[in-house]
Amino acid sequence: MGTEKTIGYIYGLRGEPRPDQERFKALLSALGDPHRAFCSVHVAGTNGKGSTCAFLASILAAHGKKTGLYTSPYLERFNERMQIGGAPIGDDELTRAVERVRAAAEAIESAHGAIRPYEAITAAAFWWFARNGVETAVIETGVGGAGDATNVLCPSHVAITSISHDHTRRLGSRIEDIAREKAGIIKRGAFVAVHPQEKTVEDVLMGRVGQTGCRAHFIRPHDV
């Protein structure tokens, strides 16, 4: 596959419109569970996710870590969605990664159904990071958090940016429901940093932190 065919394959996938983490876990298992090969920093929120991810990746790289970055969408080229050390994936590498994902997708389809474009992109990024010895990857959620494909990760650190109403048809119309969905990336053992939030949102996030027993820092407006 050339680059155009590679991207065409991804967006031509017609998996179930709703995410299915069991299917995605099966896909990753067929790839050798690449998401277990690196540490991760997981970022969710409504506003500021992309810039937060870019800052964190730059900080990690400046401290000598081989750092991956996975974000969406892209500014100019699809390849920008996955980077190592600030450099987007090359065309040949992208094709190789997606070919591996296609083979894995075909292997699990009879048992789990067809995969979705977002699952293919995410799996390709994880496989590429693992193949290239990434130490830590900064991963932006796609939509929400708890039900997002990226939530297979067990991150060492979690960042929650400003939360407001977004994707209400999928996440719900109540800000508490949206916050609860995004709080789903908070896992036991992670350190959590939270951007200043409105009181209702902060209460939901604090509840999740309490349930998981995580260490957390809630940034206050006067800290910014």
PDB file of all heavy atoms in Angstrom, residues 83-116:
ATOM      1  N   GLN A  83       3.792  10.857  16.468  1.00  0.00           N
ATOM      2  CA  GLN A  83       5.137  11.404  16.362  1.00  0.00           C
ATOM      3  C   GLN A  83       6.053  10.748  17.396  1.00  0.00           C
ATOM      4  O   GLN A  83       5.601  10.311  18.456  1.00  0.00           O
ATOM      5  CB  GLN A  83       5.121  12.914  16.603  1.00  0.00           C
ATOM      6  CG  GLN A  83       4.200  13.694  15.681  1.00  0.00           C
ATOM      7  CD  GLN A  83       4.190  15.176  15.984  1.00  0.00           C
ATOM      8  OE1 GLN A  83       5.157  15.733  16.507  1.00  0.00           O
ATOM      9  NE2 GLN A  83       3.093  15.838  15.657  1.00  0.00           N
ATOM     10  N   ILE A  84       7.342  10.723  17.072  1.00  0.00           N
ATOM     11  CA  ILE A  84       8.364  10.321  18.032  1.00  0.00           C
ATOM     12  C   ILE A  84       9.436  11.396  18.023  1.00  0.00           C
ATOM     13  O   ILE A  84       9.965  11.746  16.962  1.00  0.00           O
ATOM     14  CB  ILE A  84       8.994   8.956  17.682  1.00  0.00           C
ATOM     15  CG1 ILE A  84       7.951   7.843  17.756  1.00  0.00           C
ATOM     16  CG2 ILE A  84      10.152   8.641  18.630  1.00  0.00           C
ATOM     17  CD1 ILE A  84       8.475   6.463  17.353  1.00  0.00           C
ATOM     18  N   GLY A  85       9.719  11.941  19.195  1.00  0.00           N
ATOM     19  CA  GLY A  85      10.719  12.991  19.298  1.00  0.00           C
ATOM     20  C   GLY A  85      10.376  14.210  18.452  1.00  0.00           C
ATOM     21  O   GLY A  85      11.276  14.900  17.963  1.00  0.00           O
ATOM     22  N   GLY A  86       9.107  14.486  18.273  1.00  0.00           N
ATOM     23  CA  GLY A  86       8.675  15.652  17.512  1.00  0.00           C
ATOM     24  C   GLY A  86       8.597  15.438  16.014  1.00  0.00           C
ATOM     25  O   GLY A  86       8.177  16.328  15.272  1.00  0.00           O
ATOM     26  N   ALA A  87       8.991  14.256  15.527  1.00  0.00           N
ATOM     27  CA  ALA A  87       8.976  13.963  14.092  1.00  0.00           C
ATOM     28  C   ALA A  87       7.793  13.057  13.756  1.00  0.00           C
ATOM     29  O   ALA A  87       7.647  11.982  14.348  1.00  0.00           O
ATOM     30  CB  ALA A  87      10.275  13.289  13.673  1.00  0.00           C
ATOM     31  N   PRO A  88       6.937  13.475  12.819  1.00  0.00           N
ATOM     32  CA  PRO A  88       5.798  12.643  12.424  1.00  0.00           C
ATOM     33  C   PRO A  88       6.253  11.331  11.804  1.00  0.00           C
ATOM     34  O   PRO A  88       7.362  11.227  11.266  1.00  0.00           O
ATOM     35  CB  PRO A  88       5.057  13.503  11.390  1.00  0.00           C
ATOM     36  CG  PRO A  88       5.515  14.904  11.657  1.00  0.00           C
ATOM     37  CD  PRO A  88       6.931  14.781  12.131  1.00  0.00           C
ATOM     38  N   ILE A  89       5.411  10.339  11.842  1.00  0.00           N
ATOM     39  CA  ILE A  89       5.707   9.052  11.234  1.00  0.00           C
ATOM     40  C   ILE A  89       5.927   9.225   9.731  1.00  0.00           C
ATOM     41  O   ILE A  89       5.226   9.986   9.065  1.00  0.00           O
ATOM     42  CB  ILE A  89       4.561   8.050  11.512  1.00  0.00           C
ATOM     43  CG1 ILE A  89       4.943   6.651  11.039  1.00  0.00           C
ATOM     44  CG2 ILE A  89       3.252   8.510  10.874  1.00  0.00           C
ATOM     45  CD1 ILE A  89       3.967   5.562  11.478  1.00  0.00           C
ATOM     46  N   GLY A  90       6.937   8.539   9.188  1.00  0.00           N
ATOM     47  CA  GLY A  90       7.200   8.596   7.760  1.00  0.00           C
ATOM     48  C   GLY A  90       6.171   7.804   6.969  1.00  0.00           C
ATOM     49  O   GLY A  90       5.479   6.935   7.511  1.00  0.00           O
ATOM     50  N   ASP A  91       6.076   8.094   5.692  1.00  0.00           N
ATOM     51  CA  ASP A  91       5.080   7.427   4.852  1.00  0.00           C
ATOM     52  C   ASP A  91       5.267   5.916   4.827  1.00  0.00           C
ATOM     53  O   ASP A  91       4.300   5.151   4.956  1.00  0.00           O
ATOM     54  CB  ASP A  91       5.146   7.974   3.421  1.00  0.00           C
ATOM     55  CG  ASP A  91       4.649   9.413   3.325  1.00  0.00           C
ATOM     56  OD1 ASP A  91       3.995   9.887   4.279  1.00  0.00           O
ATOM     57  OD2 ASP A  91       4.918  10.056   2.287  1.00  0.00           O
ATOM     58  N   ASP A  92       6.498   5.456   4.642  1.00  0.00           N
ATOM     59  CA  ASP A  92       6.751   4.017   4.594  1.00  0.00           C
ATOM     60  C   ASP A  92       6.436   3.353   5.934  1.00  0.00           C
ATOM     61  O   ASP A  92       5.876   2.246   5.973  1.00  0.00           O
ATOM     62  CB  ASP A  92       8.203   3.736   4.210  1.00  0.00           C
ATOM     63  CG  ASP A  92       8.506   4.086   2.765  1.00  0.00           C
ATOM     64  OD1 ASP A  92       7.547   4.265   1.983  1.00  0.00           O
ATOM     65  OD2 ASP A  92       9.705   4.189   2.422  1.00  0.00           O
ATOM     66  N   GLU A  93       6.787   4.027   7.022  1.00  0.00           N
ATOM     67  CA  GLU A  93       6.517   3.486   8.352  1.00  0.00           C
ATOM     68  C   GLU A  93       5.018   3.422   8.617  1.00  0.00           C
ATOM     69  O   GLU A  93       4.512   2.464   9.213  1.00  0.00           O
ATOM     70  CB  GLU A  93       7.193   4.343   9.416  1.00  0.00           C
ATOM     71  CG  GLU A  93       8.707   4.329   9.387  1.00  0.00           C
ATOM     72  CD  GLU A  93       9.284   5.349  10.334  1.00  0.00           C
ATOM     73  OE1 GLU A  93       9.160   6.557  10.055  1.00  0.00           O
ATOM     74  OE2 GLU A  93       9.838   4.939  11.369  1.00  0.00           O
ATOM     75  N   LEU A  94       4.292   4.444   8.169  1.00  0.00           N
ATOM     76  CA  LEU A  94       2.840   4.457   8.338  1.00  0.00           C
ATOM     77  C   LEU A  94       2.217   3.284   7.587  1.00  0.00           C
ATOM     78  O   LEU A  94       1.354   2.572   8.125  1.00  0.00           O
ATOM     79  CB  LEU A  94       2.262   5.778   7.828  1.00  0.00           C
ATOM     80  CG  LEU A  94       0.736   5.893   7.852  1.00  0.00           C
ATOM     81  CD1 LEU A  94       0.202   5.798   9.275  1.00  0.00           C
ATOM     82  CD2 LEU A  94       0.284   7.213   7.212  1.00  0.00           C
ATOM     83  N   THR A  95       2.660   3.084   6.358  1.00  0.00           N
ATOM     84  CA  THR A  95       2.141   1.972   5.567  1.00  0.00           C
ATOM     85  C   THR A  95       2.423   0.639   6.245  1.00  0.00           C
ATOM     86  O   THR A  95       1.549  -0.238   6.336  1.00  0.00           O
ATOM     87  CB  THR A  95       2.758   1.990   4.158  1.00  0.00           C
ATOM     88  OG1 THR A  95       2.336   3.180   3.481  1.00  0.00           O
ATOM     89  CG2 THR A  95       2.324   0.778   3.354  1.00  0.00           C
ATOM     90  N   ARG A  96       3.642   0.484   6.755  1.00  0.00           N
ATOM     91  CA  ARG A  96       4.016  -0.765   7.425  1.00  0.00           C
ATOM     92  C   ARG A  96       3.149  -0.995   8.671  1.00  0.00           C
ATOM     93  O   ARG A  96       2.660  -2.112   8.904  1.00  0.00           O
ATOM     94  CB  ARG A  96       5.490  -0.722   7.818  1.00  0.00           C
ATOM     95  CG  ARG A  96       6.025  -2.043   8.375  1.00  0.00           C
ATOM     96  CD  ARG A  96       7.504  -1.966   8.691  1.00  0.00           C
ATOM     97  NE  ARG A  96       8.284  -1.621   7.507  1.00  0.00           N
ATOM     98  CZ  ARG A  96       8.914  -0.462   7.347  1.00  0.00           C
ATOM     99  NH1 ARG A  96       8.873   0.466   8.297  1.00  0.00           N
ATOM    100  NH2 ARG A  96       9.600  -0.229   6.248  1.00  0.00           N
ATOM    101  N   ALA A  97       2.946   0.060   9.449  1.00  0.00           N
ATOM    102  CA  ALA A  97       2.142  -0.066  10.666  1.00  0.00           C
ATOM    103  C   ALA A  97       0.699  -0.439  10.338  1.00  0.00           C
ATOM    104  O   ALA A  97       0.103  -1.311  10.983  1.00  0.00           O
ATOM    105  CB  ALA A  97       2.185   1.242  11.457  1.00  0.00           C
ATOM    106  N   VAL A  98       0.130   0.219   9.336  1.00  0.00           N
ATOM    107  CA  VAL A  98      -1.267  -0.053   8.984  1.00  0.00           C
ATOM    108  C   VAL A  98      -1.421  -1.433   8.364  1.00  0.00           C
ATOM    109  O   VAL A  98      -2.435  -2.110   8.574  1.00  0.00           O
ATOM    110  CB  VAL A  98      -1.818   1.058   8.066  1.00  0.00           C
ATOM    111  CG1 VAL A  98      -3.208   0.711   7.550  1.00  0.00           C
ATOM    112  CG2 VAL A  98      -1.857   2.386   8.817  1.00  0.00           C
ATOM    113  N   GLU A  99      -0.418  -1.896   7.629  1.00  0.00           N
ATOM    114  CA  GLU A  99      -0.475  -3.259   7.094  1.00  0.00           C
ATOM    115  C   GLU A  99      -0.517  -4.279   8.222  1.00  0.00           C
ATOM    116  O   GLU A  99      -1.234  -5.285   8.148  1.00  0.00           O
ATOM    117  CB  GLU A  99       0.724  -3.509   6.183  1.00  0.00           C
ATOM    118  CG  GLU A  99       0.587  -2.837   4.815  1.00  0.00           C
ATOM    119  CD  GLU A  99       1.827  -3.022   3.943  1.00  0.00           C
ATOM    120  OE1 GLU A  99       2.901  -3.338   4.500  1.00  0.00           O
ATOM    121  OE2 GLU A  99       1.710  -2.830   2.717  1.00  0.00           O
ATOM    122  N   ARG A 100       0.256  -4.039   9.280  1.00  0.00           N
ATOM    123  CA  ARG A 100       0.217  -4.925  10.438  1.00  0.00           C
ATOM    124  C   ARG A 100      -1.168  -4.897  11.085  1.00  0.00           C
ATOM    125  O   ARG A 100      -1.703  -5.932  11.486  1.00  0.00           O
ATOM    126  CB  ARG A 100       1.277  -4.506  11.465  1.00  0.00           C
ATOM    127  CG  ARG A 100       2.703  -4.785  11.033  1.00  0.00           C
ATOM    128  CD  ARG A 100       2.943  -6.275  10.830  1.00  0.00           C
ATOM    129  NE  ARG A 100       4.325  -6.574  10.514  1.00  0.00           N
ATOM    130  CZ  ARG A 100       5.227  -6.988  11.389  1.00  0.00           C
ATOM    131  NH1 ARG A 100       4.892  -7.151  12.649  1.00  0.00           N
ATOM    132  NH2 ARG A 100       6.468  -7.230  11.008  1.00  0.00           N
ATOM    133  N   VAL A 101      -1.738  -3.692  11.197  1.00  0.00           N
ATOM    134  CA  VAL A 101      -3.064  -3.559  11.789  1.00  0.00           C
ATOM    135  C   VAL A 101      -4.112  -4.265  10.927  1.00  0.00           C
ATOM    136  O   VAL A 101      -5.007  -4.946  11.438  1.00  0.00           O
ATOM    137  CB  VAL A 101      -3.432  -2.073  11.979  1.00  0.00           C
ATOM    138  CG1 VAL A 101      -4.909  -1.913  12.350  1.00  0.00           C
ATOM    139  CG2 VAL A 101      -2.545  -1.445  13.051  1.00  0.00           C
ATOM    140  N   ARG A 102      -3.999  -4.138   9.610  1.00  0.00           N
ATOM    141  CA  ARG A 102      -4.961  -4.787   8.726  1.00  0.00           C
ATOM    142  C   ARG A 102      -4.924  -6.304   8.899  1.00  0.00           C
ATOM    143  O   ARG A 102      -5.970  -6.962   8.982  1.00  0.00           O
ATOM    144  CB  ARG A 102      -4.689  -4.434   7.268  1.00  0.00           C
ATOM    145  CG  ARG A 102      -5.698  -5.101   6.322  1.00  0.00           C
ATOM    146  CD  ARG A 102      -5.644  -4.549   4.928  1.00  0.00           C
ATOM    147  NE  ARG A 102      -4.388  -4.836   4.254  1.00  0.00           N
ATOM    148  CZ  ARG A 102      -4.185  -4.581   2.954  1.00  0.00           C
ATOM    149  NH1 ARG A 102      -5.138  -4.004   2.229  1.00  0.00           N
ATOM    150  NH2 ARG A 102      -3.020  -4.865   2.399  1.00  0.00           N
ATOM    151  N   ALA A 103      -3.718  -6.862   8.986  1.00  0.00           N
ATOM    152  CA  ALA A 103      -3.604  -8.308   9.179  1.00  0.00           C
ATOM    153  C   ALA A 103      -4.225  -8.730  10.507  1.00  0.00           C
ATOM    154  O   ALA A 103      -4.930  -9.750  10.588  1.00  0.00           O
ATOM    155  CB  ALA A 103      -2.140  -8.725   9.124  1.00  0.00           C
ATOM    156  N   ALA A 104      -3.984  -7.942  11.553  1.00  0.00           N
ATOM    157  CA  ALA A 104      -4.552  -8.256  12.868  1.00  0.00           C
ATOM    158  C   ALA A 104      -6.073  -8.117  12.854  1.00  0.00           C
ATOM    159  O   ALA A 104      -6.792  -8.927  13.450  1.00  0.00           O
ATOM    160  CB  ALA A 104      -3.942  -7.333  13.926  1.00  0.00           C
ATOM    161  N   ALA A 105      -6.560  -7.091  12.162  1.00  0.00           N
ATOM    162  CA  ALA A 105      -8.005  -6.869  12.074  1.00  0.00           C
ATOM    163  C   ALA A 105      -8.697  -8.031  11.366  1.00  0.00           C
ATOM    164  O   ALA A 105      -9.779  -8.475  11.771  1.00  0.00           O
ATOM    165  CB  ALA A 105      -8.284  -5.559  11.349  1.00  0.00           C
ATOM    166  N   GLU A 106      -8.080  -8.527  10.307  1.00  0.00           N
ATOM    167  CA  GLU A 106      -8.653  -9.663   9.582  1.00  0.00           C
ATOM    168  C   GLU A 106      -8.657 -10.923  10.447  1.00  0.00           C
ATOM    169  O   GLU A 106      -9.578 -11.743  10.366  1.00  0.00           O
ATOM    170  CB  GLU A 106      -7.869  -9.890   8.294  1.00  0.00           C
ATOM    171  CG  GLU A 106      -8.081  -8.785   7.258  1.00  0.00           C
ATOM    172  CD  GLU A 106      -7.160  -8.905   6.055  1.00  0.00           C
ATOM    173  OE1 GLU A 106      -6.247  -9.777   6.086  1.00  0.00           O
ATOM    174  OE2 GLU A 106      -7.344  -8.142   5.090  1.00  0.00           O
ATOM    175  N   ALA A 107      -7.648 -11.052  11.299  1.00  0.00           N
ATOM    176  CA  ALA A 107      -7.544 -12.239  12.154  1.00  0.00           C
ATOM    177  C   ALA A 107      -8.628 -12.277  13.225  1.00  0.00           C
ATOM    178  O   ALA A 107      -9.043 -13.357  13.650  1.00  0.00           O
ATOM    179  CB  ALA A 107      -6.159 -12.286  12.810  1.00  0.00           C
ATOM    180  N   ILE A 108      -9.101 -11.120  13.673  1.00  0.00           N
ATOM    181  CA  ILE A 108     -10.093 -11.096  14.757  1.00  0.00           C
ATOM    182  C   ILE A 108     -11.517 -10.827  14.269  1.00  0.00           C
ATOM    183  O   ILE A 108     -12.456 -10.894  15.051  1.00  0.00           O
ATOM    184  CB  ILE A 108      -9.727 -10.025  15.819  1.00  0.00           C
ATOM    185  CG1 ILE A 108      -9.886  -8.611  15.248  1.00  0.00           C
ATOM    186  CG2 ILE A 108      -8.319 -10.250  16.364  1.00  0.00           C
ATOM    187  CD1 ILE A 108      -9.975  -7.527  16.303  1.00  0.00           C
ATOM    188  N   GLU A 109     -11.673 -10.521  12.984  1.00  0.00           N
ATOM    189  CA  GLU A 109     -12.976 -10.052  12.504  1.00  0.00           C
ATOM    190  C   GLU A 109     -14.089 -11.066  12.712  1.00  0.00           C
ATOM    191  O   GLU A 109     -15.212 -10.707  13.093  1.00  0.00           O
ATOM    192  CB  GLU A 109     -12.897  -9.664  11.028  1.00  0.00           C
ATOM    193  CG  GLU A 109     -14.187  -9.039  10.522  1.00  0.00           C
ATOM    194  CD  GLU A 109     -14.038  -8.399   9.157  1.00  0.00           C
ATOM    195  OE1 GLU A 109     -12.896  -8.347   8.632  1.00  0.00           O
ATOM    196  OE2 GLU A 109     -15.051  -7.946   8.615  1.00  0.00           O
ATOM    197  N   SER A 110     -13.820 -12.336  12.479  1.00  0.00           N
ATOM    198  CA  SER A 110     -14.888 -13.328  12.599  1.00  0.00           C
ATOM    199  C   SER A 110     -15.419 -13.414  14.025  1.00  0.00           C
ATOM    200  O   SER A 110     -16.605 -13.668  14.244  1.00  0.00           O
ATOM    201  CB  SER A 110     -14.386 -14.704  12.147  1.00  0.00           C
ATOM    202  OG  SER A 110     -13.308 -15.140  12.952  1.00  0.00           O
ATOM    203  N   ALA A 111     -14.559 -13.181  14.999  1.00  0.00           N
ATOM    204  CA  ALA A 111     -14.970 -13.283  16.403  1.00  0.00           C
ATOM    205  C   ALA A 111     -15.460 -11.960  16.977  1.00  0.00           C
ATOM    206  O   ALA A 111     -16.323 -11.941  17.864  1.00  0.00           O
ATOM    207  CB  ALA A 111     -13.814 -13.809  17.250  1.00  0.00           C
ATOM    208  N   HIS A 112     -14.932 -10.849  16.478  1.00  0.00           N
ATOM    209  CA  HIS A 112     -15.209  -9.559  17.118  1.00  0.00           C
ATOM    210  C   HIS A 112     -15.827  -8.518  16.192  1.00  0.00           C
ATOM    211  O   HIS A 112     -16.212  -7.439  16.658  1.00  0.00           O
ATOM    212  CB  HIS A 112     -13.913  -8.986  17.705  1.00  0.00           C
ATOM    213  CG  HIS A 112     -13.325  -9.838  18.776  1.00  0.00           C
ATOM    214  ND1 HIS A 112     -13.746  -9.792  20.093  1.00  0.00           N
ATOM    215  CD2 HIS A 112     -12.350 -10.797  18.734  1.00  0.00           C
ATOM    216  CE1 HIS A 112     -13.058 -10.657  20.811  1.00  0.00           C
ATOM    217  NE2 HIS A 112     -12.198 -11.287  20.020  1.00  0.00           N
ATOM    218  N   GLY A 113     -15.907  -8.789  14.910  1.00  0.00           N
ATOM    219  CA  GLY A 113     -16.460  -7.819  13.985  1.00  0.00           C
ATOM    220  C   GLY A 113     -15.393  -6.898  13.422  1.00  0.00           C
ATOM    221  O   GLY A 113     -14.233  -6.925  13.836  1.00  0.00           O
ATOM    222  N   ALA A 114     -15.820  -6.076  12.466  1.00  0.00           N
ATOM    223  CA  ALA A 114     -14.889  -5.163  11.800  1.00  0.00           C
ATOM    224  C   ALA A 114     -14.493  -4.012  12.713  1.00  0.00           C
ATOM    225  O   ALA A 114     -15.286  -3.545  13.532  1.00  0.00           O
ATOM    226  CB  ALA A 114     -15.531  -4.618  10.520  1.00  0.00           C
ATOM    227  N   ILE A 115     -13.257  -3.550  12.560  1.00  0.00           N
ATOM    228  CA  ILE A 115     -12.769  -2.441  13.380  1.00  0.00           C
ATOM    229  C   ILE A 115     -13.169  -1.105  12.763  1.00  0.00           C
ATOM    230  O   ILE A 115     -13.583  -1.028  11.603  1.00  0.00           O
ATOM    231  CB  ILE A 115     -11.240  -2.499  13.577  1.00  0.00           C
ATOM    232  CG1 ILE A 115     -10.506  -2.272  12.249  1.00  0.00           C
ATOM    233  CG2 ILE A 115     -10.832  -3.823  14.207  1.00  0.00           C
ATOM    234  CD1 ILE A 115      -9.001  -2.102  12.413  1.00  0.00           C
ATOM    235  N   ARG A 116     -13.041  -0.050  13.558  1.00  0.00           N
ATOM    236  CA  ARG A 116     -13.376   1.302  13.141  1.00  0.00           C
ATOM    237  C   ARG A 116     -12.099   2.047  12.749  1.00  0.00           C
ATOM    238  O   ARG A 116     -11.003   1.684  13.174  1.00  0.00           O
ATOM    239  CB  ARG A 116     -14.075   2.037  14.288  1.00  0.00           C
ATOM    240  CG  ARG A 116     -15.320   1.353  14.794  1.00  0.00           C
ATOM    241  CD  ARG A 116     -15.779   1.867  16.144  1.00  0.00           C
ATOM    242  NE  ARG A 116     -16.179   3.258  16.061  1.00  0.00           N
ATOM    243  CZ  ARG A 116     -15.662   4.232  16.818  1.00  0.00           C
ATOM    244  NH1 ARG A 116     -14.701   3.959  17.683  1.00  0.00           N
ATOM    245  NH2 ARG A 116     -16.095   5.463  16.717  1.00  0.00           N
TER     246      ARG A 116
END
